[in-house]
Amino acid sequence: MGQPPVIQVDDVRVEAGGRRILHDVSVVFKPGQLCAILGPSGCGKTTLLTCAVALRKPDAGSVRVGGRELWPMRAEFRRRLGYVPQDDIIHRELTVAQAFRYAALLRLDEAVGESVLAQRVETVMKVLGLDERKSVRIERLSGGQRKRVNIGIELLADPDVLVLDEPASGLDPATEEDLVNTLSRLAKQGRTVALTTHSMEYLSRVDVIVLMAEGRVVFVGALPELLTHFGVPHAGEVFRVLRQSGGEYWASRFRASPLGARARLA
């Protein structure tokens, strides 16, 4: 697939349990940008993310990567995908260095020599600020450090696309800020990085905010545009305004706005 891909989601619809989870959602994820999919619990954030990276097939609409339909090429795409779920996927009795080494043995090509493998592990630990904790058992790490270990396991394979489901869940504000800054740096290296969150903190560090409500996209843009669009002084007020008029109203208003037109042309 060459360079890190643009992921284009067009009119994606998902239904489950007799109700519609996503209503004709369209959004673009681009390399070099940190994208936050934001919204109240149950608004469809995780469903959108899993459709965008071929972990779930939408009932209607399309997802394309580099202009190609994603679902038929999902096995190829997943080799370039790093996916960090909300819950830990690491063995807590291992040390950081052990967890990274075993993951590297599983994920890197068999032809990679021991010295290259060790260097890759050291590099990823250093990038994530874990090199001084490498001899510590994972069960003794803080929540933020464990989350960085989860991210590191995915980074070992040097993915072009990194997606994270609620990575800041349970973290204190300072640790959340550190995590968002780390993800921003990873995006600036040229990766396509997206996360789901319900937190309104540190959105100034995010390049693109995708705001959802009731299974609909109601905004795409940067933080200053978000505040202007909803007529609020700070991000914490956005959910209150959303509740007052509902997702369908705000989705329609977004589509009719210059921001909506820009998003369709992206």
Side-chain angles (χ1 to χ4, degrees):
M1 284 186 286
Q3 296 297 315
V6 173
I7 302 173
Q8 179 88 39
V9 177
D10 288 316
D11 296 323
V12 160
R13 186 183 310 161
V14 173
E15 298 181 358
R19 71 185 187 95
R20 188 163 295 181
I21 308 298
L22 294 181
H23 296 258
D24 303 320
V25 167
S26 297
V27 68
V28 180
F29 301 96
K30 296 181 178 180
Q33 294 182 340
L34 174 59
C35 176
I37 305 173
L38 180 72
S41 297
C43 70
K45 301 186 297 292
T46 297
T47 302
L48 169 58
L49 195 65
T50 54
C51 288
V53 295
L55 296 175
R56 177 172 187 157
K57 186 177 183 180
D59 296 305
S62 67
V63 180
R64 299 192 305 277
V65 173
R68 297 168 59 190
E69 190 70 30
L70 175 58
W71 192 255
M73 57 179 284
R74 60 191 182 279
E76 175 189 354
F77 174 77
R78 286 174 186 169
R79 289 194 291 270
R80 302 179 67 179
L81 169 68
Y83 179 71
V84 182
Q86 185 171 345
D87 296 326
D88 286 347
I89 53 173
I90 46 180
H91 296 288
R92 295 193 176 197
E93 66 274 16
L94 299 177
T95 66
V96 173
Q98 287 172 332
F100 274 57
R101 173 173 169 75
Y102 293 145
L105 288 169
L106 288 170
R107 304 199 65 168
L108 299 183
D109 191 282
E110 292 180 356
V112 172
E114 179 64 33
S115 62
V116 174
L117 185 146
Q119 182 60 50
R120 181 64 185 160
V121 167
E122 288 293 330
T123 298
V124 171
M125 283 195 294
K126 188 171 183 178
V127 165
L128 295 174
L130 292 167
D131 46 327
E132 294 184 357
R133 307 290 286 168
K134 63 184 178 181
S135 299
V136 178
R137 291 186 182 276
I138 291 169
E139 63 188 1
R140 296 179 56 195
L141 299 177
S142 69
Q145 290 168 340
R146 286 200 306 274
K147 184 59 66 176
R148 278 185 276 157
V149 172
N150 279 275
I151 294 171
I153 296 298
E154 298 302 314
L155 287 180
L156 287 168
D158 197 21
D160 290 327
V161 180
L162 180 65
V163 298
L164 309 96
D165 191 10
E166 297 282 2
S169 178
L171 301 184
D172 62 78
T175 304
E176 180 184 351
E177 182 178 18
D178 288 343
L179 178 62
V180 173
N181 287 336
T182 296
L183 296 176
S184 179
R185 289 196 299 271
L186 293 172
K188 293 298 184 289
Q189 294 171 1
R191 294 180 178 88
T192 302
V193 183
L195 69 148
T196 64
T197 182
H198 58 267
S199 173
M200 307 300 284
E201 299 289 335
Y202 314 115
L203 292 180
S204 61
R205 312 288 207 282
V206 172
D207 298 299
V208 178
I209 300 165
V210 176
L211 181 61
M212 298 187 66
E214 300 169 14
R216 298 172 170 88
V217 170
V218 299
F219 172 84
V220 178
L223 179 58
E225 295 169 325
L226 177 75
L227 303 181
T228 299
H229 186 70
F230 286 93
V232 295
H234 53 82
E237 292 290 308
V238 170
F239 283 4
R240 177 185 59 80
V241 174
L242 273 177
R243 287 194 299 270
Q244 289 176 348
S245 299
E248 187 173 1
Y249 166 81
W250 282 107
S252 176
R253 180 168 173 175
F254 171 68
R255 288 194 300 270
S257 72
L259 290 172
R262 184 184 69 185
R264 288 191 294 275
L265 293 172

